[in-house]
């Protein structure tokens, strides 16, 4: 197992570099960019997602460049590679390229980026006066809250429900719960979110839950118990909207895992020895059936954590990583885009490695070293 884990660990780095390289190449062919965004602001046609936050360094830069406009016809030829740059001072355009790092060839920019990222130096956001790492830390509580609690709630509900469905396979309970789960899976989460918001957090029906934010405005003034209650009070509706669809996959995975084990010969032998159904279920079947589910917990958490629940965050006014990623792409804030991609990819690769390690802890009979990596 040690040799396998070492190989997997060493493979993380080339895999990570490959992910970043492919993404970097795609970005090079994408229309627009930070320079074009500033130029669009100068022409009055650039409205990015961060404009609703009051702008940033890009707005200041655009304002400073307005005085650099010139009527020289030679500037149009110099600036022809940027749409809308005609009439602007070529020196101003060069200063923009230098600020955003586009004065260097693409391969140099990629190598410099990876060199900095290996030391977790992510630089500063292009259009917000804050470092990328601080920006991510600022949005992290929302994503941690949604990802962690959604995963725990999903496991706590789906595993007991899946076990009961397996034990009562084909009965009425199994049929109607399957119907409910399939309907819940088919309904988009954002529609559930809107429904919950209108019914339980609006003025039309009930005002039982808050409609926005992760905590109340007076959170710091509350007692410890009050802070905990306020925190979960705000999370109730977003978690319900997020987790409703995830129950289906985990529940059916649990049910099918238990059904596979129930039909095996060792279960028949255990029953023949006079063991009760509860002893057979939890003493013999449970460990084997739960192998895949328990070992997959790290990956499930990371998937929920980094799934970027953009619509849910927007509906409930939760400023998390999902909204940050969307706004960064819209605003061409490549510093944030590549930094979040690097962090998410690294954590995801480590989580997959951790899942394999948990497999061996749950069932030592599994030997990954005999497999091809």
């Amino acid at each position: 197992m040690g040799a396998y884990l070492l190989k997997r660990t060493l493979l993380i780095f080339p895999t990570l570099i490959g992910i970043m390289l492919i993404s970097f190449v795609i970005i090079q062919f994408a229309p627009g960019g930070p320079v074009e965004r500033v130029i669009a602001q100068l022409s009055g046609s650039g409205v990015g997602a961060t404009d609703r936050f009051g702008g940033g360094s890009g707005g200041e830069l655009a304002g400073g460049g307005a005085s650099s406009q010139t009527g020289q016809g030679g500037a149009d030829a110099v600036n022809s590679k940027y749409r809308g740059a005609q009439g602007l001072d070529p020196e101003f355009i060069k200063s923009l390229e230098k600020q955003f790092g586009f004065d260097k060839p693409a391969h140099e920019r990629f190598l410099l980026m990876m060199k900095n990222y290996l030391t977790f130096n992510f630089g500063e956001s292009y259009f917000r006066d804050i470092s990328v790492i601080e920006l991510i830390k600022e949005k992290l509580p929302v994503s941690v809250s949604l990802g962690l609690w959604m995963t725990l709630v999903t496991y706590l509900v789906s595993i007991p429900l899946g076990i009961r469905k397996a034990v009562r396979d084909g009965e009425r309970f199994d049929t109607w719960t399957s119907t409910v789960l399939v309907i819940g899976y088919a309904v988009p989460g954002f529609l559930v979110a809107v429904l919950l918001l209108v019914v339980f957090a609006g003025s039309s029906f009930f005002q039982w839950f808050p409609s926005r934010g992760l905590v109340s405005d007076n959170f710091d003034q509350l007692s410890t118990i009050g802070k905990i209650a306020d925190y979960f009070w705000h999370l109730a509706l977003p978690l319900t909207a997020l987790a409703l669809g995830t129950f289906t996959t985990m529940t059916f995975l649990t049910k099918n895992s238990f059904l596979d084990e129930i039909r095996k010969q060792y279960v028949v032998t255990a029953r023949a020895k006079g063991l009760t159904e509860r002893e057979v279920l939890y003493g013999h079947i449970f460990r084997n059936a739960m192998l895949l589910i328990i070992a997959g917990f790290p990956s499930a958490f990371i998937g929920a954590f980094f799934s970027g629940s953009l619509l849910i965050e927007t509906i409930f006014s939760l400023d998390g990583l999902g909204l940050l990623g969307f706004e960064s792409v819209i605003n061409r804030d490549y510093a944030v885009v590549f930094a979040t991609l690097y962090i998410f990819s690294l954590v995801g690769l480590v989580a997959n490695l951790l899942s394999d390690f948990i497999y061996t802890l749950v069932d030592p009979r599994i030997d990954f070293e005999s497999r091809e990596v």
Side-chain angles (χ1 to χ4, degrees):
M1 183 62 186
Y4 172 77
L5 291 178
L6 178 61
K7 292 177 183 178
R8 285 290 304 273
T9 303
L10 294 176
L11 278 174
I12 287 178
F13 300 101
T15 304
L16 190 59
I17 292 174
I19 293 173
M20 298 301 296
L21 179 59
I22 293 173
S23 303
F24 185 85
V25 171
I26 292 174
I27 287 295
Q28 304 311 303
F29 294 98
V35 176
E36 287 88 343
R37 182 176 185 271
V38 175
I39 293 173
Q41 286 182 328
L42 287 175
S43 63
S45 61
V47 180
T50 54
D51 291 335
R52 67 188 183 88
F53 295 106
S57 60
E60 297 168 2
L61 186 57
S67 62
S68 300
Q69 295 185 31
T70 176
Q72 298 177 357
D76 294 341
V78 175
N79 301 334
S80 60
K81 66 177 179 179
Y82 295 113
R83 179 181 299 177
Q86 287 77 11
L88 296 180
D89 188 347
E91 294 301 322
F92 172 64
I93 300 298
K94 290 181 179 180
S95 68
L96 285 180
E97 291 180 332
K98 184 175 182 180
Q99 176 174 339
F100 295 128
F102 290 98
D103 58 328
K104 301 180 180 66
H107 68 278
E108 289 186 17
R109 285 187 279 123
F110 177 76
L111 293 176
L112 180 61
M113 180 183 71
M114 293 307 301
K115 178 183 177 181
N116 292 332
Y117 282 10
L118 288 176
T119 58
F120 294 95
N121 176 18
F122 300 110
E124 291 193 358
S125 168
Y126 286 169
F127 301 107
R128 306 180 194 224
D129 190 18
I130 186 174
S131 67
V132 174
I133 197 67
E134 289 299 324
L135 185 60
I136 293 175
K137 288 180 181 179
E138 181 183 312
K139 313 296 183 183
L140 208 54
V142 170
S143 295
V144 168
S145 298
L146 293 177
L148 176 62
W149 294 115
M150 190 188 81
T151 305
L152 291 178
V153 168
T154 301
Y155 270 69
L156 290 175
V157 173
S158 298
I159 291 176
L161 180 59
I163 295 174
R164 187 168 180 82
K165 284 175 64 63
V167 173
R168 302 181 63 175
D169 181 43
E171 298 182 11
R172 180 177 297 179
F173 173 82
D174 180 42
T175 302
W176 73 260
T177 53
S178 295
T179 303
V180 172
L181 287 171
V182 171
I183 293 175
Y185 184 77
V187 178
F190 71 90
L191 288 181
V192 177
V194 171
L195 176 64
L196 293 175
L197 195 63
V198 171
V199 175
F200 298 106
S203 57
S204 302
F205 296 93
F206 305 101
Q207 194 71 39
W208 292 350
F209 297 94
S211 60
R212 58 184 296 120
L214 192 60
V215 293
S216 300
D217 294 335
N218 64 337
F219 181 78
D220 294 333
Q221 303 172 5
L222 300 176
S223 64
T224 302
I225 296 178
K227 289 181 178 179
I228 296 174
D230 181 75
Y231 172 72
F232 285 106
W233 186 43
H234 282 75
L235 278 178
L237 296 186
L239 282 180
T240 302
L242 277 173
L244 190 62
T246 62
F247 289 151
T248 304
T249 303
M250 183 60 65
T251 300
F252 281 110
L253 177 62
T254 304
K255 175 189 173 182
N256 293 333
S257 296
F258 272 80
L259 285 178
D260 288 342
E261 296 298 323
I262 287 174
R263 295 163 181 158
K264 291 184 178 179
Q265 185 61 42
Y266 74 90
V267 176
V268 178
T269 304
R271 287 171 176 165
K273 291 181 178 179
L275 297 179
T276 64
E277 285 298 316
R278 186 176 183 84
E279 290 174 334
V280 172
L281 183 63
Y282 292 101
H284 293 76
I285 298 175
F286 187 84
R287 179 174 180 178
N288 293 328
M290 291 300 295
L291 173 61
L292 181 63
I293 299 166
I294 295 176
F297 180 83
S299 297
F301 170 65
I302 296 301
F305 180 65
F306 293 130
S307 60
S309 49
L310 170 63
L311 293 176
I312 302 298
E313 291 181 11
T314 303
I315 291 171
F316 291 101
S317 299
L318 298 172
D319 196 7
L321 292 176
L323 196 57
L324 172 64
F326 172 75
E327 291 171 347
S328 300
V329 172
I330 294 297
N331 292 324
R332 302 300 191 267
D333 196 344
Y334 295 154
V336 178
V337 171
F338 284 117
T340 52
L341 175 64
Y342 180 86
I343 295 173
F344 294 176
S345 300
L346 179 60
V347 175
L349 291 170
V350 172
N352 288 332
L353 181 62
L354 183 60
S355 295
D356 288 347
F357 179 68
I358 294 178
Y359 270 117
T360 62
L361 293 181
V362 176
D363 190 347
R365 296 172 299 175
I366 294 179
D367 182 16
F368 286 108
E369 294 184 19
S370 60
R371 297 170 48 192
E372 291 290 338
V373 178

